[in-house]
Amino acid sequence: MMYLNSFNPDAFLCGRAKELRSSIGTLIHKVDVGHKLVPSSLYKKKDTQKNCTKEAMRWKESFSQLLCSKDGFSAFRTFLKTEFSEENLEFWVACEDYKKTLSTNKLHSKAQCIFQEFLQTGAPREVNIDHQTREFTRQQVASACHNCFDAAQEQTRILMEKDSYPRFLKSPLYQKMLSQSSIKKIKLSFT
């Protein structure tokens, strides 16, 4: 109560007015001297945002563009999780990792794990491939060569490209990414 009684609004406003006048004077001086009023970090953000928008737009060009982009891959994975269908992408990633295995000793055990996880009938994350490809892959896994999953991987890739990818491009997740990029781009251009 005592604090409120000792508050002098006129003195406060007078002090605040002096601060504003000083700030405006400094600002006018900087404009006259040619200083940049917009911090350079905003230009960087604008460029980064343009790049993000361009990258997201490239995802529409092809499924390969989407998979090659770190952010695109992540967004696609998130989308698949919302549909409870990420097993195809996870299988594709496991196959890519398998191909990079240098140790021939590890190839057989890795091949068995991948087959049991994704291709075996009733597997925990069974991918949707035809019976012939499944049997062909089972035979190839016995030899554990670097390309034993190629047929199954290609079939899941085609399935994702023909089915999940078009749904992703129409999804609210992707549309929101594009619109947020556009909105941020517009906001930054006015600053």
Side-chain angles (χ1 to χ4, degrees), residues 134-179:
R134 189 181 314 275
E135 286 308 309
F136 175 76
T137 305
R138 181 189 313 274
Q139 293 166 8
Q140 295 294 308
V141 166
S143 66
C145 56
H146 278 96
N147 61 354
C148 66
F149 292 107
D150 284 359
Q153 184 184 21
E154 183 60 17
Q155 199 171 85
T156 57
R157 185 191 183 291
I158 290 169
L159 180 65
M160 287 188 292
E161 186 173 11
K162 301 280 186 225
D163 185 43
S164 304
Y165 174 61
R167 285 198 318 275
F168 168 73
L169 295 177
K170 294 175 185 173
S171 72
L173 172 73
Y174 180 65
Q175 296 302 318
K176 184 176 179 181
M177 290 173 75
L178 289 178
S179 67

mmCIF file of all heavy atoms in Angstrom, residues 134-179:
data_model
loop_
_atom_site.group_PDB
_atom_site.id
_atom_site.type_symbol
_atom_site.label_atom_id
_atom_site.label_comp_id
_atom_site.label_asym_id
_atom_site.label_seq_id
_atom_site.Cartn_x
_atom_site.Cartn_y
_atom_site.Cartn_z
ATOM 1 N N ARG A 134 9.461 -62.882 -51.319
ATOM 2 C CA ARG A 134 9.811 -63.327 -49.963
ATOM 3 C C ARG A 134 10.640 -64.615 -50.022
ATOM 4 O O ARG A 134 11.670 -64.737 -49.360
ATOM 5 C CB ARG A 134 8.538 -63.541 -49.131
ATOM 6 C CG ARG A 134 8.799 -63.804 -47.656
ATOM 7 C CD ARG A 134 7.498 -64.023 -46.880
ATOM 8 N NE ARG A 134 6.465 -63.068 -47.174
ATOM 9 C CZ ARG A 134 6.325 -61.869 -46.605
ATOM 10 N NH1 ARG A 134 7.194 -61.492 -45.703
ATOM 11 N NH2 ARG A 134 5.345 -61.070 -46.936
ATOM 12 N N GLU A 135 10.210 -65.580 -50.837
ATOM 13 C CA GLU A 135 10.923 -66.860 -50.944
ATOM 14 C C GLU A 135 12.278 -66.686 -51.618
ATOM 15 O O GLU A 135 13.264 -67.289 -51.203
ATOM 16 C CB GLU A 135 10.072 -67.887 -51.697
ATOM 17 C CG GLU A 135 8.923 -68.432 -50.867
ATOM 18 C CD GLU A 135 9.373 -68.971 -49.502
ATOM 19 O OE1 GLU A 135 10.329 -69.790 -49.453
ATOM 20 O OE2 GLU A 135 8.788 -68.561 -48.483
ATOM 21 N N PHE A 136 12.311 -65.872 -52.658
ATOM 22 C CA PHE A 136 13.578 -65.596 -53.333
ATOM 23 C C PHE A 136 14.571 -64.978 -52.348
ATOM 24 O O PHE A 136 15.748 -65.364 -52.301
ATOM 25 C CB PHE A 136 13.345 -64.658 -54.532
ATOM 26 C CG PHE A 136 14.612 -64.237 -55.208
ATOM 27 C CD1 PHE A 136 15.294 -65.114 -56.041
ATOM 28 C CD2 PHE A 136 15.126 -62.960 -55.022
ATOM 29 C CE1 PHE A 136 16.479 -64.722 -56.662
ATOM 30 C CE2 PHE A 136 16.302 -62.562 -55.636
ATOM 31 C CZ PHE A 136 16.980 -63.451 -56.466
ATOM 32 N N THR A 137 14.100 -64.042 -51.531
ATOM 33 C CA THR A 137 14.966 -63.378 -50.557
ATOM 34 C C THR A 137 15.420 -64.362 -49.489
ATOM 35 O O THR A 137 16.583 -64.329 -49.064
ATOM 36 C CB THR A 137 14.245 -62.162 -49.926
ATOM 37 O OG1 THR A 137 13.807 -61.300 -50.969
ATOM 38 C CG2 THR A 137 15.151 -61.410 -48.982
ATOM 39 N N ARG A 138 14.530 -65.257 -49.076
ATOM 40 C CA ARG A 138 14.899 -66.271 -48.081
ATOM 41 C C ARG A 138 16.084 -67.092 -48.599
ATOM 42 O O ARG A 138 17.035 -67.361 -47.862
ATOM 43 C CB ARG A 138 13.722 -67.198 -47.775
ATOM 44 C CG ARG A 138 14.039 -68.273 -46.733
ATOM 45 C CD ARG A 138 12.935 -69.328 -46.592
ATOM 46 N NE ARG A 138 11.602 -68.801 -46.495
ATOM 47 C CZ ARG A 138 11.001 -68.394 -45.363
ATOM 48 N NH1 ARG A 138 11.662 -68.458 -44.231
ATOM 49 N NH2 ARG A 138 9.776 -67.953 -45.373
ATOM 50 N N GLN A 139 16.045 -67.464 -49.861
ATOM 51 C CA GLN A 139 17.140 -68.237 -50.464
ATOM 52 C C GLN A 139 18.426 -67.398 -50.541
ATOM 53 O O GLN A 139 19.520 -67.901 -50.294
ATOM 54 C CB GLN A 139 16.742 -68.723 -51.857
ATOM 55 C CG GLN A 139 15.625 -69.743 -51.835
ATOM 56 C CD GLN A 139 15.025 -69.963 -53.225
ATOM 57 O OE1 GLN A 139 15.530 -69.459 -54.214
ATOM 58 N NE2 GLN A 139 13.926 -70.717 -53.261
ATOM 59 N N GLN A 140 18.277 -66.131 -50.868
ATOM 60 C CA GLN A 140 19.431 -65.240 -50.981
ATOM 61 C C GLN A 140 20.089 -64.986 -49.620
ATOM 62 O O GLN A 140 21.308 -64.854 -49.541
ATOM 63 C CB GLN A 140 19.021 -63.899 -51.603
ATOM 64 C CG GLN A 140 18.553 -63.995 -53.037
ATOM 65 C CD GLN A 140 19.678 -64.424 -53.949
ATOM 66 O OE1 GLN A 140 20.753 -63.852 -53.944
ATOM 67 N NE2 GLN A 140 19.431 -65.474 -54.720
ATOM 68 N N VAL A 141 19.279 -64.936 -48.573
ATOM 69 C CA VAL A 141 19.795 -64.687 -47.229
ATOM 70 C C VAL A 141 20.737 -65.814 -46.804
ATOM 71 O O VAL A 141 21.711 -65.576 -46.077
ATOM 72 C CB VAL A 141 18.645 -64.484 -46.214
ATOM 73 C CG1 VAL A 141 19.116 -64.573 -44.772
ATOM 74 C CG2 VAL A 141 17.977 -63.140 -46.457
ATOM 75 N N ALA A 142 20.486 -67.026 -47.268
ATOM 76 C CA ALA A 142 21.351 -68.165 -46.929
ATOM 77 C C ALA A 142 22.789 -67.917 -47.394
ATOM 78 O O ALA A 142 23.739 -68.311 -46.712
ATOM 79 C CB ALA A 142 20.805 -69.442 -47.543
ATOM 80 N N SER A 143 22.956 -67.239 -48.523
ATOM 81 C CA SER A 143 24.306 -66.941 -49.015
ATOM 82 C C SER A 143 24.851 -65.639 -48.422
ATOM 83 O O SER A 143 26.051 -65.382 -48.495
ATOM 84 C CB SER A 143 24.319 -66.853 -50.540
ATOM 85 O OG SER A 143 23.550 -65.752 -50.977
ATOM 86 N N ALA A 144 23.987 -64.829 -47.871
ATOM 87 C CA ALA A 144 24.345 -63.568 -47.195
ATOM 88 C C ALA A 144 25.281 -62.690 -48.022
ATOM 89 O O ALA A 144 26.282 -62.183 -47.530
ATOM 90 C CB ALA A 144 24.934 -63.849 -45.821
ATOM 91 N N CYS A 145 24.934 -62.473 -49.278
ATOM 92 C CA CYS A 145 25.715 -61.549 -50.095
ATOM 93 C C CYS A 145 25.171 -60.128 -49.899
ATOM 94 O O CYS A 145 24.087 -59.949 -49.352
ATOM 95 C CB CYS A 145 25.663 -61.957 -51.565
ATOM 96 S SG CYS A 145 24.002 -62.073 -52.215
ATOM 97 N N HIS A 146 25.919 -59.142 -50.345
ATOM 98 C CA HIS A 146 25.536 -57.741 -50.126
ATOM 99 C C HIS A 146 24.221 -57.351 -50.796
ATOM 100 O O HIS A 146 23.572 -56.407 -50.373
ATOM 101 C CB HIS A 146 26.645 -56.792 -50.593
ATOM 102 C CG HIS A 146 27.720 -56.621 -49.585
ATOM 103 N ND1 HIS A 146 28.883 -57.358 -49.609
ATOM 104 C CD2 HIS A 146 27.815 -55.813 -48.510
ATOM 105 C CE1 HIS A 146 29.638 -57.006 -48.601
ATOM 106 N NE2 HIS A 146 29.028 -56.069 -47.912
ATOM 107 N N ASN A 147 23.831 -58.059 -51.828
ATOM 108 C CA ASN A 147 22.601 -57.688 -52.538
ATOM 109 C C ASN A 147 21.454 -58.679 -52.318
ATOM 110 O O ASN A 147 20.508 -58.711 -53.102
ATOM 111 C CB ASN A 147 22.892 -57.508 -54.028
ATOM 112 C CG ASN A 147 23.415 -58.778 -54.670
ATOM 113 O OD1 ASN A 147 23.670 -59.761 -53.991
ATOM 114 N ND2 ASN A 147 23.580 -58.752 -55.973
ATOM 115 N N CYS A 148 21.502 -59.437 -51.242
ATOM 116 C CA CYS A 148 20.466 -60.457 -51.024
ATOM 117 C C CYS A 148 19.077 -59.861 -50.770
ATOM 118 O O CYS A 148 18.072 -60.522 -50.981
ATOM 119 C CB CYS A 148 20.864 -61.423 -49.914
ATOM 120 S SG CYS A 148 20.983 -60.715 -48.272
ATOM 121 N N PHE A 149 19.000 -58.599 -50.349
ATOM 122 C CA PHE A 149 17.707 -57.970 -50.074
ATOM 123 C C PHE A 149 17.237 -57.048 -51.200
ATOM 124 O O PHE A 149 16.199 -56.404 -51.081
ATOM 125 C CB PHE A 149 17.767 -57.166 -48.770
ATOM 126 C CG PHE A 149 17.917 -58.010 -47.544
ATOM 127 C CD1 PHE A 149 19.121 -58.058 -46.865
ATOM 128 C CD2 PHE A 149 16.858 -58.767 -47.074
ATOM 129 C CE1 PHE A 149 19.267 -58.829 -45.733
ATOM 130 C CE2 PHE A 149 16.998 -59.543 -45.942
ATOM 131 C CZ PHE A 149 18.208 -59.578 -45.272
ATOM 132 N N ASP A 150 17.991 -56.974 -52.281
ATOM 133 C CA ASP A 150 17.688 -56.005 -53.337
ATOM 134 C C ASP A 150 16.260 -56.108 -53.876
ATOM 135 O O ASP A 150 15.579 -55.094 -54.030
ATOM 136 C CB ASP A 150 18.685 -56.119 -54.493
ATOM 137 C CG ASP A 150 20.028 -55.506 -54.156
ATOM 138 O OD1 ASP A 150 20.187 -54.973 -53.032
ATOM 139 O OD2 ASP A 150 20.931 -55.567 -55.020
ATOM 140 N N ALA A 151 15.800 -57.314 -54.156
ATOM 141 C CA ALA A 151 14.455 -57.480 -54.735
ATOM 142 C C ALA A 151 13.373 -57.025 -53.747
ATOM 143 O O ALA A 151 12.449 -56.292 -54.117
ATOM 144 C CB ALA A 151 14.229 -58.930 -55.148
ATOM 145 N N ALA A 152 13.504 -57.438 -52.499
ATOM 146 C CA ALA A 152 12.515 -57.058 -51.478
ATOM 147 C C ALA A 152 12.585 -55.564 -51.186
ATOM 148 O O ALA A 152 11.554 -54.896 -51.030
ATOM 149 C CB ALA A 152 12.745 -57.862 -50.199
ATOM 150 N N GLN A 153 13.798 -55.030 -51.142
ATOM 151 C CA GLN A 153 13.958 -53.600 -50.881
ATOM 152 C C GLN A 153 13.340 -52.779 -52.010
ATOM 153 O O GLN A 153 12.655 -51.792 -51.753
ATOM 154 C CB GLN A 153 15.441 -53.253 -50.717
ATOM 155 C CG GLN A 153 15.657 -51.803 -50.355
ATOM 156 C CD GLN A 153 17.123 -51.410 -50.287
ATOM 157 O OE1 GLN A 153 17.993 -52.072 -50.853
ATOM 158 N NE2 GLN A 153 17.399 -50.314 -49.598
ATOM 159 N N GLU A 154 13.570 -53.195 -53.238
ATOM 160 C CA GLU A 154 13.009 -52.462 -54.378
ATOM 161 C C GLU A 154 11.487 -52.528 -54.365
ATOM 162 O O GLU A 154 10.812 -51.543 -54.663
ATOM 163 C CB GLU A 154 13.574 -53.011 -55.693
ATOM 164 C CG GLU A 154 13.089 -52.267 -56.914
ATOM 165 C CD GLU A 154 13.443 -50.780 -56.943
ATOM 166 O OE1 GLU A 154 14.333 -50.322 -56.194
ATOM 167 O OE2 GLU A 154 12.802 -50.053 -57.725
ATOM 168 N N GLN A 155 10.942 -53.688 -53.990
ATOM 169 C CA GLN A 155 9.483 -53.804 -53.952
ATOM 170 C C GLN A 155 8.878 -52.882 -52.879
ATOM 171 O O GLN A 155 7.860 -52.237 -53.120
ATOM 172 C CB GLN A 155 9.081 -55.257 -53.692
ATOM 173 C CG GLN A 155 7.652 -55.541 -54.096
ATOM 174 C CD GLN A 155 7.350 -57.022 -54.046
ATOM 175 O OE1 GLN A 155 7.011 -57.516 -52.981
ATOM 176 N NE2 GLN A 155 7.481 -57.699 -55.173
ATOM 177 N N THR A 156 9.508 -52.792 -51.727
ATOM 178 C CA THR A 156 8.988 -51.890 -50.685
ATOM 179 C C THR A 156 9.190 -50.427 -51.086
ATOM 180 O O THR A 156 8.348 -49.584 -50.787
ATOM 181 C CB THR A 156 9.654 -52.144 -49.313
ATOM 182 O OG1 THR A 156 11.062 -52.000 -49.433
ATOM 183 C CG2 THR A 156 9.307 -53.509 -48.774
ATOM 184 N N ARG A 157 10.286 -50.148 -51.774
ATOM 185 C CA ARG A 157 10.520 -48.782 -52.246
ATOM 186 C C ARG A 157 9.424 -48.367 -53.232
ATOM 187 O O ARG A 157 8.872 -47.274 -53.139
ATOM 188 C CB ARG A 157 11.892 -48.673 -52.914
ATOM 189 C CG ARG A 157 12.246 -47.267 -53.326
ATOM 190 C CD ARG A 157 13.485 -47.240 -54.218
ATOM 191 N NE ARG A 157 13.870 -45.905 -54.571
ATOM 192 C CZ ARG A 157 13.200 -45.097 -55.379
ATOM 193 N NH1 ARG A 157 12.077 -45.497 -55.937
ATOM 194 N NH2 ARG A 157 13.621 -43.880 -55.649
ATOM 195 N N ILE A 158 9.103 -49.249 -54.164
ATOM 196 C CA ILE A 158 8.052 -48.960 -55.141
ATOM 197 C C ILE A 158 6.709 -48.782 -54.441
ATOM 198 O O ILE A 158 5.950 -47.863 -54.761
ATOM 199 C CB ILE A 158 7.982 -50.073 -56.209
ATOM 200 C CG1 ILE A 158 9.219 -50.006 -57.107
ATOM 201 C CG2 ILE A 158 6.711 -49.973 -57.033
ATOM 202 C CD1 ILE A 158 9.390 -51.204 -58.033
ATOM 203 N N LEU A 159 6.448 -49.612 -53.450
ATOM 204 C CA LEU A 159 5.196 -49.497 -52.697
ATOM 205 C C LEU A 159 5.114 -48.138 -51.997
ATOM 206 O O LEU A 159 4.076 -47.473 -52.057
ATOM 207 C CB LEU A 159 5.086 -50.636 -51.678
ATOM 208 C CG LEU A 159 3.834 -50.658 -50.820
ATOM 209 C CD1 LEU A 159 2.596 -50.895 -51.681
ATOM 210 C CD2 LEU A 159 3.949 -51.736 -49.755
ATOM 211 N N MET A 160 6.197 -47.727 -51.370
ATOM 212 C CA MET A 160 6.201 -46.416 -50.704
ATOM 213 C C MET A 160 6.025 -45.287 -51.723
ATOM 214 O O MET A 160 5.285 -44.336 -51.480
ATOM 215 C CB MET A 160 7.508 -46.204 -49.923
ATOM 216 C CG MET A 160 7.621 -47.022 -48.664
ATOM 217 S SD MET A 160 9.057 -46.572 -47.651
ATOM 218 C CE MET A 160 10.426 -47.105 -48.672
ATOM 219 N N GLU A 161 6.710 -45.417 -52.858
ATOM 220 C CA GLU A 161 6.648 -44.364 -53.876
ATOM 221 C C GLU A 161 5.253 -44.238 -54.483
ATOM 222 O O GLU A 161 4.774 -43.138 -54.737
ATOM 223 C CB GLU A 161 7.675 -44.642 -54.970
ATOM 224 C CG GLU A 161 7.788 -43.542 -55.990
ATOM 225 C CD GLU A 161 8.932 -43.774 -56.971
ATOM 226 O OE1 GLU A 161 9.511 -44.879 -56.992
ATOM 227 O OE2 GLU A 161 9.238 -42.835 -57.711
ATOM 228 N N LYS A 162 4.606 -45.357 -54.694
ATOM 229 C CA LYS A 162 3.280 -45.349 -55.339
ATOM 230 C C LYS A 162 2.140 -45.097 -54.352
ATOM 231 O O LYS A 162 1.101 -44.573 -54.728
ATOM 232 C CB LYS A 162 3.025 -46.686 -56.043
ATOM 233 C CG LYS A 162 4.029 -47.037 -57.104
ATOM 234 C CD LYS A 162 3.739 -46.319 -58.388
ATOM 235 C CE LYS A 162 4.671 -46.812 -59.480
ATOM 236 N NZ LYS A 162 5.233 -45.774 -60.269
ATOM 237 N N ASP A 163 2.348 -45.450 -53.095
ATOM 238 C CA ASP A 163 1.250 -45.393 -52.128
ATOM 239 C C ASP A 163 1.463 -44.314 -51.050
ATOM 240 O O ASP A 163 0.692 -43.364 -50.962
ATOM 241 C CB ASP A 163 1.086 -46.775 -51.478
ATOM 242 C CG ASP A 163 -0.106 -46.854 -50.561
ATOM 243 O OD1 ASP A 163 -1.182 -46.352 -50.930
ATOM 244 O OD2 ASP A 163 0.041 -47.422 -49.457
ATOM 245 N N SER A 164 2.516 -44.443 -50.267
ATOM 246 C CA SER A 164 2.728 -43.538 -49.129
ATOM 247 C C SER A 164 3.185 -42.145 -49.546
ATOM 248 O O SER A 164 2.752 -41.142 -48.969
ATOM 249 C CB SER A 164 3.767 -44.133 -48.174
ATOM 250 O OG SER A 164 3.381 -45.414 -47.762
ATOM 251 N N TYR A 165 4.058 -42.086 -50.530
ATOM 252 C CA TYR A 165 4.618 -40.806 -50.972
ATOM 253 C C TYR A 165 3.538 -39.829 -51.464
ATOM 254 O O TYR A 165 3.511 -38.672 -51.020
ATOM 255 C CB TYR A 165 5.680 -41.075 -52.040
ATOM 256 C CG TYR A 165 6.274 -39.874 -52.710
ATOM 257 C CD1 TYR A 165 6.973 -38.900 -51.997
ATOM 258 C CD2 TYR A 165 6.168 -39.718 -54.089
ATOM 259 C CE1 TYR A 165 7.537 -37.810 -52.646
ATOM 260 C CE2 TYR A 165 6.741 -38.636 -54.736
ATOM 261 C CZ TYR A 165 7.415 -37.675 -54.013
ATOM 262 O OH TYR A 165 7.973 -36.603 -54.655
ATOM 263 N N PRO A 166 2.611 -40.245 -52.341
ATOM 264 C CA PRO A 166 1.553 -39.295 -52.748
ATOM 265 C C PRO A 166 0.690 -38.834 -51.565
ATOM 266 O O PRO A 166 0.291 -37.669 -51.508
ATOM 267 C CB PRO A 166 0.706 -40.091 -53.749
ATOM 268 C CG PRO A 166 1.605 -41.166 -54.250
ATOM 269 C CD PRO A 166 2.518 -41.493 -53.098
ATOM 270 N N ARG A 167 0.439 -39.734 -50.625
ATOM 271 C CA ARG A 167 -0.342 -39.339 -49.439
ATOM 272 C C ARG A 167 0.444 -38.351 -48.587
ATOM 273 O O ARG A 167 -0.118 -37.422 -48.015
ATOM 274 C CB ARG A 167 -0.742 -40.562 -48.618
ATOM 275 C CG ARG A 167 -1.864 -41.368 -49.219
ATOM 276 C CD ARG A 167 -2.548 -42.309 -48.218
ATOM 277 N NE ARG A 167 -1.655 -43.010 -47.335
ATOM 278 C CZ ARG A 167 -1.031 -44.169 -47.613
ATOM 279 N NH1 ARG A 167 -1.207 -44.736 -48.788
ATOM 280 N NH2 ARG A 167 -0.249 -44.747 -46.721
ATOM 281 N N PHE A 168 1.751 -38.551 -48.507
ATOM 282 C CA PHE A 168 2.597 -37.617 -47.761
ATOM 283 C C PHE A 168 2.514 -36.217 -48.360
ATOM 284 O O PHE A 168 2.376 -35.237 -47.639
ATOM 285 C CB PHE A 168 4.052 -38.107 -47.751
ATOM 286 C CG PHE A 168 5.039 -37.077 -47.267
ATOM 287 C CD1 PHE A 168 5.107 -36.735 -45.929
ATOM 288 C CD2 PHE A 168 5.893 -36.448 -48.160
ATOM 289 C CE1 PHE A 168 6.014 -35.775 -45.477
ATOM 290 C CE2 PHE A 168 6.805 -35.491 -47.724
ATOM 291 C CZ PHE A 168 6.862 -35.162 -46.378
ATOM 292 N N LEU A 169 2.598 -36.135 -49.690
ATOM 293 C CA LEU A 169 2.558 -34.827 -50.358
ATOM 294 C C LEU A 169 1.226 -34.113 -50.152
ATOM 295 O O LEU A 169 1.168 -32.882 -50.195
ATOM 296 C CB LEU A 169 2.852 -34.977 -51.850
ATOM 297 C CG LEU A 169 4.258 -35.455 -52.216
ATOM 298 C CD1 LEU A 169 4.395 -35.640 -53.718
ATOM 299 C CD2 LEU A 169 5.332 -34.516 -51.685
ATOM 300 N N LYS A 170 0.155 -34.873 -49.941
ATOM 301 C CA LYS A 170 -1.161 -34.286 -49.708
ATOM 302 C C LYS A 170 -1.450 -34.107 -48.214
ATOM 303 O O LYS A 170 -2.461 -33.505 -47.856
ATOM 304 C CB LYS A 170 -2.249 -35.181 -50.313
ATOM 305 C CG LYS A 170 -2.193 -35.249 -51.818
ATOM 306 C CD LYS A 170 -3.217 -36.229 -52.339
ATOM 307 C CE LYS A 170 -3.087 -36.403 -53.847
ATOM 308 N NZ LYS A 170 -3.958 -37.461 -54.351
ATOM 309 N N SER A 171 -0.589 -34.629 -47.382
ATOM 310 C CA SER A 171 -0.837 -34.644 -45.934
ATOM 311 C C SER A 171 -0.790 -33.244 -45.332
ATOM 312 O O SER A 171 -0.080 -32.354 -45.825
ATOM 313 C CB SER A 171 0.192 -35.521 -45.227
ATOM 314 O OG SER A 171 1.463 -34.881 -45.215
ATOM 315 N N PRO A 172 -1.523 -33.040 -44.255
ATOM 316 C CA PRO A 172 -1.460 -31.769 -43.537
ATOM 317 C C PRO A 172 -0.037 -31.463 -43.044
ATOM 318 O O PRO A 172 0.360 -30.309 -43.005
ATOM 319 C CB PRO A 172 -2.410 -31.969 -42.352
ATOM 320 C CG PRO A 172 -3.344 -33.054 -42.790
ATOM 321 C CD PRO A 172 -2.552 -33.937 -43.702
ATOM 322 N N LEU A 173 0.715 -32.491 -42.697
ATOM 323 C CA LEU A 173 2.086 -32.302 -42.227
ATOM 324 C C LEU A 173 2.935 -31.596 -43.292
ATOM 325 O O LEU A 173 3.556 -30.571 -43.020
ATOM 326 C CB LEU A 173 2.721 -33.653 -41.874
ATOM 327 C CG LEU A 173 4.214 -33.648 -41.534
ATOM 328 C CD1 LEU A 173 4.438 -33.034 -40.165
ATOM 329 C CD2 LEU A 173 4.773 -35.059 -41.575
ATOM 330 N N TYR A 174 2.918 -32.117 -44.499
ATOM 331 C CA TYR A 174 3.715 -31.525 -45.585
ATOM 332 C C TYR A 174 3.151 -30.165 -45.988
ATOM 333 O O TYR A 174 3.903 -29.207 -46.180
ATOM 334 C CB TYR A 174 3.754 -32.468 -46.789
ATOM 335 C CG TYR A 174 4.551 -31.934 -47.946
ATOM 336 C CD1 TYR A 174 5.922 -31.735 -47.844
ATOM 337 C CD2 TYR A 174 3.940 -31.608 -49.147
ATOM 338 C CE1 TYR A 174 6.661 -31.239 -48.909
ATOM 339 C CE2 TYR A 174 4.675 -31.115 -50.219
ATOM 340 C CZ TYR A 174 6.030 -30.938 -50.094
ATOM 341 O OH TYR A 174 6.761 -30.437 -51.144
ATOM 342 N N GLN A 175 1.847 -30.052 -46.101
ATOM 343 C CA GLN A 175 1.236 -28.777 -46.479
ATOM 344 C C GLN A 175 1.538 -27.695 -45.450
ATOM 345 O O GLN A 175 1.789 -26.540 -45.802
ATOM 346 C CB GLN A 175 -0.288 -28.945 -46.650
ATOM 347 C CG GLN A 175 -0.679 -29.879 -47.779
ATOM 348 C CD GLN A 175 -0.137 -29.446 -49.126
ATOM 349 O OE1 GLN A 175 -0.141 -28.278 -49.469
ATOM 350 N NE2 GLN A 175 0.356 -30.412 -49.887
ATOM 351 N N LYS A 176 1.535 -28.091 -44.180
ATOM 352 C CA LYS A 176 1.839 -27.130 -43.123
ATOM 353 C C LYS A 176 3.299 -26.673 -43.227
ATOM 354 O O LYS A 176 3.592 -25.500 -43.048
ATOM 355 C CB LYS A 176 1.586 -27.762 -41.754
ATOM 356 C CG LYS A 176 1.776 -26.826 -40.596
ATOM 357 C CD LYS A 176 1.417 -27.496 -39.286
ATOM 358 C CE LYS A 176 1.627 -26.543 -38.132
ATOM 359 N NZ LYS A 176 1.319 -27.168 -36.840
ATOM 360 N N MET A 177 4.189 -27.615 -43.565
ATOM 361 C CA MET A 177 5.599 -27.253 -43.733
ATOM 362 C C MET A 177 5.762 -26.222 -44.847
ATOM 363 O O MET A 177 6.501 -25.255 -44.703
ATOM 364 C CB MET A 177 6.437 -28.496 -44.047
ATOM 365 C CG MET A 177 6.575 -29.444 -42.888
ATOM 366 S SD MET A 177 7.403 -30.964 -43.369
ATOM 367 C CE MET A 177 9.078 -30.383 -43.485
ATOM 368 N N LEU A 178 5.056 -26.425 -45.943
ATOM 369 C CA LEU A 178 5.144 -25.491 -47.062
ATOM 370 C C LEU A 178 4.549 -24.132 -46.700
ATOM 371 O O LEU A 178 5.123 -23.098 -47.000
ATOM 372 C CB LEU A 178 4.427 -26.047 -48.290
ATOM 373 C CG LEU A 178 5.092 -27.221 -48.994
ATOM 374 C CD1 LEU A 178 4.234 -27.680 -50.160
ATOM 375 C CD2 LEU A 178 6.490 -26.862 -49.461
ATOM 376 N N SER A 179 3.387 -24.143 -46.056
ATOM 377 C CA SER A 179 2.730 -22.874 -45.736
ATOM 378 C C SER A 179 3.493 -22.113 -44.661
ATOM 379 O O SER A 179 3.591 -20.891 -44.719
ATOM 380 C CB SER A 179 1.280 -23.091 -45.320
ATOM 381 O OG SER A 179 1.210 -23.781 -44.083
#
